[in-house]
Amino acid sequence: MKDVPRSGRRQLLRMTAMLGGGVLAQRQRLLAWETPGKLGAPLGPYGERSPFERAVRWHRESKTPEAGSCFSPLHASVGTITPSSLHYERHHSGIPTIDPSKHRLVIHGLVDRPLSFTMAEIQRLPSITRTLVLECGGNSAGEWAARTGADVQRSYGLVSCSEWTGVPLATLLAEVGVKPTASWVIAEGADACRMERSIPLSKAMENTLLAYGQNGEMIRPSQGYPLRLINPGWEGNTNVKWLHSLKLTNQPYMARDETSKYSDLMPDGKARIFTYRMEAKSVITFPSGGQTLPAIGLYELTGLAWSGNGKIERVDITTDGGRSWTAAELQEPRLPIALTRFRMPWRFEGRETVIASRAVDETGYVQPSREALVAVRGGNSVYHFNGTKFWRVQADGTVTNVDA
Amino acid sequence: MKDVPRSGRRQLLRMTAMLGGGVLAQRQRLLAWETPGKLGAPLGPYGERSPFERAVRWHRESKTPEAGSCFSPLHASVGTITPSSLHYERHHSGIPTIDPSKHRLVIHGLVDRPLSFTMAEIQRLPSITRTLVLECGGNSAGEWAARTGADVQRSYGLVSCSEWTGVPLATLLAEVGVKPTASWVIAEGADACRMERSIPLSKAMENTLLAYGQNGEMIRPSQGYPLRLINPGWEGNTNVKWLHSLKLTNQPYMARDETSKYSDLMPDGKARIFTYRMEAKSVITFPSGGQTLPAIGLYELTGLAWSGNGKIERVDITTDGGRSWTAAELQEPRLPIALTRFRMPWRFEGRETVIASRAVDETGYVQPSREALVAVRGGNSVYHFNGTKFWRVQADGTVTNVDA
C-alpha cells in the first residue's frame, strides 16, 4: 500500500521525540464511560449536524441585513474543505430566490450569435470539477491599520474552499462566437443591485468556470444558486453570484465595484484598479485569538494557507515571536488555488510567546510581513492584505491578537 | 498557468467535432429572463440549500426505523464529494445522541497501559486528512440475483465520499503499548447493539484513522459523531461509528457482523469471512434508471468509479451494448480509495441502446462482468457485488434497468 499517512507518522516521531514516549501528559487512566443502551434516532432523508456543534457564521448587526459579510468559523474548521453551510458570504442586496427552471444565462454584445441558455442546457455540456479557495478582497482588512480582530473568524473568516463543478466559460464563448474586437466580458448578477464585474477575455478563455455544483450538490442560494462565475485565484467579488448575463465588450465597464470599491489607494494618492489576483497568505487557526490552552503540554498547531498563483510550496511557523522558523507539515494533495492545511506539533511551556505562519507558493512568492506590505502600499489600503499574522499566547494559556 | 482545464477542452473538441460547431441543437435564441428586482434574503448564520433542490436519501419503510439503510441520491450528485447530509447510512440500532465532552475512547486488552481518551485529548494529537470512499459491503446486492434496482440511487446508493480528518490509530497504539502477543483490534461502537468488528493489527498500524472531522466540520451524528473508525478501502461496516472501545486481542471476535453477516457464501456452501476489501467498481449516474433524455442530441454521460486498492486508472464506456468501449475522461486529482468522476460526451440518436462503464484500478484489477463474477462466486452471495452495470436507453429517451 502506498497510502500510508507518512505525514502523520513523521509528526508522531517528532512528538514522541519531544516527550520521550508519552504523547499526552497528565491524563487520567482507564476512565469508563456509560454508553447509551437504548435505541437511537431513526433513519432520515437528510442528515443534520449534532446539537452539540454550534459553530456558525458571524456577521455585524446592521439596519440593512441584506448587505454585509458572513465570516466562516475558521477556528472550528478541520481539513481543507469548508462546509457549504459555513462558507463565507458577501452580499450587496440580499440573496435572491431563483427558480432554476426559469433562470437564463444571456450572452450578448460583441458576439456572432447572441444566445440565452437554460440551466438544463448548461448542465448537459462537458463539465469539470475544481477544488478552489475563494477569498473576499477585503478579508483581514482590519490588519492594515491595526490588528483589531479579536479572533480568527472575525479577522480572517472571509475565506473558504469548495469543490466547484461547472462548464468552462470558453465552451459557451465558442458557441456564441466571439468577435475579434472583443477583449472584455462584463458579468452581471441577478441580485437587486445587479452586481457587475469586468473580466478580461484572456482570463475567461483560460480558466473561468460557469459553476452550478458546490461540494457535490447544486450551489446553495447564498453562494449564487443556480449559477456562479468562478474566476480561480481572483478576489471573491469577481466570482459573480446568480449569474444571468455576460456581455462581450472592447473595454471594461468601470462599474461601482471596480472603481469606488475593490481598488487599491496607494500612498501617492493614485488608485490601482483591476488588482484581481489574491497573493499567497496563511493564518494559524489553532491556537488563535479567543482560544485558551487548557494546560502545559503538547498540542497540534494548525492553520490554513493559500495562493491565487497556484500551489502552496511551504509554510514556516514561528513559536518564538519570529526569532526562528520551522517548516510545517503540509496536507496532501496540495491543489493549486485551494486551501492547504498545515500542521506542526508544539509544546506549550506555560511561558508567554508569539506565534505566526508564513506561506511560500510554487512561484516562489513569499508572504510578506505586515511592515513590508505597509511600506509599499501605505496606510490607505483596504483590500488585499496578506501580511503575516501573529497571535500572542499568554502565560495562562489565553490567546489574543498581538495588539490586544 | 498550469491549471487550465485540459480535460474540459479535450471534451469540447470532441463535442464540437461531433456536431460541427453548435454544441447545443434546437435551442431558442436570446430569450430574456425577468430577474428579481427587489432585495433578497438577509445574511444568516448557517446556509441551507435551495427549496427547489429536493434530492434526499431514500430508505425502505420499516416497523423498526432505527435499523436499515439510507441510500445516497447518486443521480443528483456532481463532482466527487458527497454532501454530509446526503452520505449513505447503515444503522443497526439507530443514531445515539452523544455529548462529546462525556465521550471516552477506551483502549484495553493486550496493551501495557490501558487508557481512556477524551475527545479533547484526541483532537490535540497530530492529525491527517484523507478523502475516502465508503461503501457498504451490501451495496448493489440486488444485482447478484437479478438487476432489480429501478434507479441508481436505490441500487447503488450505498456508496459515498468524504474528506475525513483524524488521528492515525497507530499513534494511540504507541501510547498504550501493544503487547507482542496482540494481533487483532476489536472495535466497538456506542450504539445500542454495540456494533463490533475485528480489525487485523497490521491494518490498524498501516492506515486506520480515528476520525472526528468530515468535510471540514465535526462528523455528523448519523456518520458516527463524535468519533469513527475509518479503515481505508474496507467495507463500510468495518468503519465502526460512535467508536468507544478498542480491545487488543490475539484472535478475532467472530462477532455477529462478521459471521452471520458480511461473509460470502460460495457455490460449494463454504463461507469466506473477513473479506474486507472493496474491489474496483463503477456506475453510470447519468443517464441512469428512471431518468429521461428530453430530446435527440448531445449529452455529457457521467458516473463514478472507485477501488479499495488505490487509484482509478481508467474507465471504459460502452454506448452500444458492449460491442465497443471508449476511455472516459477522469476528473483529477485521482485520489487513492476515493470516488473518481468520469465523463464522456455522447450523442443520443433516438435509437434504443444499452450503456455501461468498466473501471480499472492502478493495480491492474479490471471490474468484471456480472456473468464472470457469478461464475466464480455463485448465486448465494449478498456482499461485494462489483460487476459491470448496464442501463437501457429506450428510443423515447427513457432509461431503465436492463432487466426492467
Side-chain angles (χ1 to χ4, degrees):
Chain A
M1 292 287 294
K2 293 197 195 94
D3 59 328
V4 177
R6 260 187 308 172
S7 155
R9 288 189 180 173
R10 273 200 303 275
Q11 291 211 23
L12 177 62
L13 288 174
R14 271 203 218 180
M15 290 183 92
T16 49
M18 288 167 83
L19 284 179
V23 289
L24 285 167
Q26 300 162 323
R27 289 188 312 96
Q28 285 182 285
R29 293 174 68 84
L30 202 54
L31 186 83
W33 173 67
E34 205 56 42
T35 60
K38 59 179 200 301
L39 275 181
L43 301 172
Y46 197 74
E48 304 291 352
R49 63 180 182 164
S50 166
F52 294 100
E53 294 301 313
R54 298 188 185 95
V56 290
R57 293 179 302 204
W58 170 83
H59 67 276
R60 283 187 186 82
E61 291 293 320
S62 163
K63 286 185 185 167
T64 51
E66 296 86 1
S69 301
C70 274
F71 293 70
S72 190
L74 297 183
H75 59 286
S77 69
V78 296
T80 63
I81 290 285
T82 309
S84 300
S85 300
L86 298 172
H87 193 290
Y88 90 86
E89 299 176 13
R90 169 78 179 105
H91 303 311
H92 300 78
S93 54
I95 305 158
T97 301
I98 296 179
D99 179 342
S101 72
K102 298 201 170 75
H103 190 74
R104 296 288 182 281
L105 173 66
V106 175
I107 307 184
H108 60 131
L110 296 174
V111 299
D112 297 329
R113 296 170 294 279
L115 289 171
S116 64
F117 299 86
T118 67
M119 286 305 300
E121 286 169 337
I122 291 168
Q123 289 177 258
R124 275 175 62 175
L125 293 171
S127 64
I128 64 166
T129 295
R130 289 195 66 182
T131 299
L132 291 167
V133 63
L134 288 193
E135 184 184 15
C136 178
N139 192 26
S140 58
E143 303 280 314
W144 277 113
R147 288 129 174 167
T148 51
D151 58 41
V152 70
Q153 178 174 21
R154 294 172 198 220
S155 52
Y156 280 75
L158 296 178
V159 64
S160 297
C161 187
S162 291
E163 190 197 76
W164 299 98
T165 296
V167 177
L169 176 51
T171 303
L172 290 195
L173 292 182
E175 177 75 356
V176 297
V178 175
K179 288 189 188 295
T181 49
S183 53
W184 291 82
V185 181
I186 315 300
E188 189 184 88
D191 48 348
C193 72
R194 301 285 185 275
M195 169 60 59
E196 282 179 322
R197 282 303 304 259
S198 308
I199 310 298
L201 184 59
S202 57
K203 175 72 172 177
M205 296 305 291
E206 180 191 2
N207 62 7
T208 300
L209 267 186
L210 297 168
Y212 50 80
Q214 181 186 14
N215 293 337
E217 62 184 350
M218 285 293 283
I219 291 178
R220 295 192 169 200
S222 57
Q223 296 303 322
Y225 182 85
L227 194 65
R228 181 173 194 171
L229 200 69
I230 296 287
N231 284 302
W234 285 17
E235 55 190 2
N237 175 266
T238 68
N239 298 267
V240 176
K241 300 190 286 278
W242 316 294
L243 182 72
H244 89 106
S245 162
L246 294 168
K247 184 176 182 179
L248 280 287
T249 64
N250 60 6
Q251 56 186 342
Y253 243 40
M254 311 303 277
R256 190 188 72 130
D257 278 273
E258 50 203 21
T259 51
S260 75
K261 292 174 183 285
Y262 298 99
S263 59
D264 303 326
L265 190 55
M266 298 295 281
D268 63 1
K270 290 191 178 173
R272 296 194 308 155
I273 59 173
F274 304 125
T275 50
Y276 300 106
R277 193 176 300 274
M278 303 300 289
E279 304 283 4
K281 189 167 173 179
S282 68
V283 67
I284 293 174
T285 56
F286 179 86
S288 61
Q291 294 176 330
T292 301
L293 300 173
I296 287 172
L298 197 68
Y299 294 90
E300 181 174 68
L301 187 155
T302 186
L304 295 164
W306 62 97
S307 170
N309 286 317
K311 291 185 188 182
I312 289 295
E313 197 58 38
R314 178 186 174 100
V315 177
D316 291 322
I317 306 282
T318 180
T319 56
D320 58 9
R323 280 195 299 279
S324 65
W325 297 80
T326 308
E329 298 278 347
L330 302 183
Q331 177 63 52
E332 299 285 349
R334 288 174 291 123
L335 302 177
I337 316 181
L339 287 184
T340 295
R341 171 73 58 182
F342 61 85
R343 302 173 171 120
M344 190 180 83
W346 169 61
R347 185 169 164 84
F348 170 57
E349 302 285 5
R351 286 192 297 271
E352 178 171 317
T353 190
V354 169
I355 61 174
S357 62
R358 182 177 61 198
V360 183
D361 73 23
E362 64 176 323
T363 70
Y365 179 97
V366 180
Q367 182 182 3
S369 69
R370 175 173 172 273
E371 292 67 26
L373 192 64
V374 169
V376 174
R377 304 262 288 279
N380 301 320
S381 275
V382 178
Y383 300 103
H384 302 291
F385 180 87
N386 72 327
T388 48
K389 174 62 191 167
F390 287 82
W391 301 108
R392 184 181 307 280
V393 183
Q394 304 191 110
D396 66 357
T398 59
V399 187
T400 62
N401 214 323
V402 279
D403 287 351
Chain B
M1 293 285 296
K2 293 197 194 96
D3 59 328
V4 177
R6 259 187 308 173
S7 155
R9 289 190 181 172
R10 273 202 303 275
Q11 290 212 24
L12 176 63
L13 289 175
R14 271 204 217 180
M15 290 182 93
T16 49
M18 287 167 83
L19 285 179
V23 291
L24 286 167
Q26 300 164 326
R27 290 186 314 95
Q28 285 182 286
R29 294 173 69 83
L30 202 55
L31 187 81
W33 174 64
E34 204 57 40
T35 60
K38 60 179 198 302
L39 276 181
L43 300 172
Y46 197 75
E48 305 291 351
R49 63 181 183 164
S50 165
F52 293 100
E53 294 301 312
R54 298 191 184 92
V56 290
R57 294 178 301 205
W58 170 84
H59 67 276
R60 282 186 188 80
E61 291 293 320
S62 164
K63 284 183 187 169
T64 51
E66 297 86 3
S69 301
C70 275
F71 293 69
S72 190
L74 298 184
H75 59 287
S77 68
V78 296
T80 64
I81 292 286
T82 308
S84 299
S85 300
L86 297 173
H87 194 290
Y88 89 87
E89 298 175 14
R90 169 77 178 105
H91 304 310
H92 300 77
S93 55
I95 305 158
T97 299
I98 296 178
D99 180 343
S101 72
K102 298 200 171 76
H103 190 74
R104 296 289 182 279
L105 174 66
V106 175
I107 307 185
H108 61 133
L110 297 174
V111 298
D112 298 328
R113 297 170 294 279
L115 289 170
S116 65
F117 299 86
T118 66
M119 285 305 300
E121 287 170 336
I122 291 168
Q123 289 178 257
R124 276 175 60 176
L125 293 171
S127 64
I128 64 166
T129 295
R130 290 194 66 181
T131 299
L132 291 166
V133 63
L134 289 193
E135 184 184 14
C136 178
N139 192 27
S140 56
E143 303 281 314
W144 277 113
R147 291 133 173 164
T148 51
D151 57 43
V152 70
Q153 175 174 23
R154 295 172 196 221
S155 52
Y156 280 74
L158 296 178
V159 64
S160 297
C161 187
S162 291
E163 191 198 73
W164 298 97
T165 296
V167 177
L169 176 51
T171 302
L172 291 193
L173 293 181
E175 177 76 356
V176 297
V178 175
K179 289 189 186 296
T181 49
S183 53
W184 290 82
V185 182
I186 315 300
E188 189 183 88
D191 48 347
C193 71
R194 300 286 184 273
M195 169 60 58
E196 282 179 324
R197 283 304 302 260
S198 308
I199 311 297
L201 184 58
S202 56
K203 174 71 172 178
M205 297 304 290
E206 181 191 0
N207 63 7
T208 300
L209 267 187
L210 297 168
Y212 50 79
Q214 183 186 12
N215 293 337
E217 61 183 351
M218 287 292 284
I219 291 178
R220 297 192 166 199
S222 57
Q223 296 303 322
Y225 182 86
L227 194 65
R228 182 174 195 170
L229 200 70
I230 296 287
N231 284 303
W234 285 17
E235 55 189 2
N237 177 264
T238 69
N239 299 269
V240 176
K241 299 189 288 275
W242 317 293
L243 183 73
H244 88 107
S245 163
L246 294 168
K247 184 176 184 178
L248 280 285
T249 64
N250 60 6
Q251 57 186 338
Y253 244 39
M254 310 304 276
R256 189 189 71 131
D257 277 273
E258 50 202 23
T259 50
S260 76
K261 292 175 182 289
Y262 298 98
S263 61
D264 303 326
L265 191 54
M266 299 294 282
D268 62 3
K270 291 191 178 173
R272 295 194 309 156
I273 60 172
F274 304 124
T275 50
Y276 300 106
R277 193 176 299 276
M278 303 302 288
E279 304 283 5
K281 188 166 170 179
S282 67
V283 66
I284 292 173
T285 56
F286 180 85
S288 61
Q291 295 175 330
T292 301
L293 301 173
I296 288 172
L298 197 68
Y299 294 90
E300 182 175 66
L301 186 155
T302 185
L304 295 163
W306 62 97
S307 170
N309 286 317
K311 291 185 188 182
I312 289 296
E313 198 57 41
R314 179 186 173 98
V315 177
D316 291 322
I317 305 282
T318 180
T319 56
D320 57 9
R323 280 195 300 278
S324 65
W325 297 79
T326 308
E329 299 278 348
L330 302 182
Q331 177 63 50
E332 298 288 347
R334 288 174 292 123
L335 302 176
I337 315 182
L339 287 184
T340 295
R341 170 72 59 180
F342 62 83
R343 303 174 171 120
M344 190 180 83
W346 170 60
R347 187 171 164 83
F348 171 57
E349 302 283 7
R351 285 191 298 270
E352 180 171 314
T353 189
V354 168
I355 61 175
S357 61
R358 182 177 62 198
V360 183
D361 72 24
E362 63 176 324
T363 71
Y365 179 96
V366 180
Q367 182 183 1
S369 69
R370 174 173 173 272
E371 292 67 28
L373 192 66
V374 170
V376 175
R377 303 263 289 279
N380 300 321
S381 277
V382 177
Y383 301 103
H384 302 290
F385 179 87
N386 72 328
T388 48
K389 174 61 192 167
F390 287 81
W391 300 109
R392 184 181 308 281
V393 182
Q394 305 193 109
D396 65 358
T398 60
V399 187
T400 62
N401 215 321
V402 280
D403 287 348

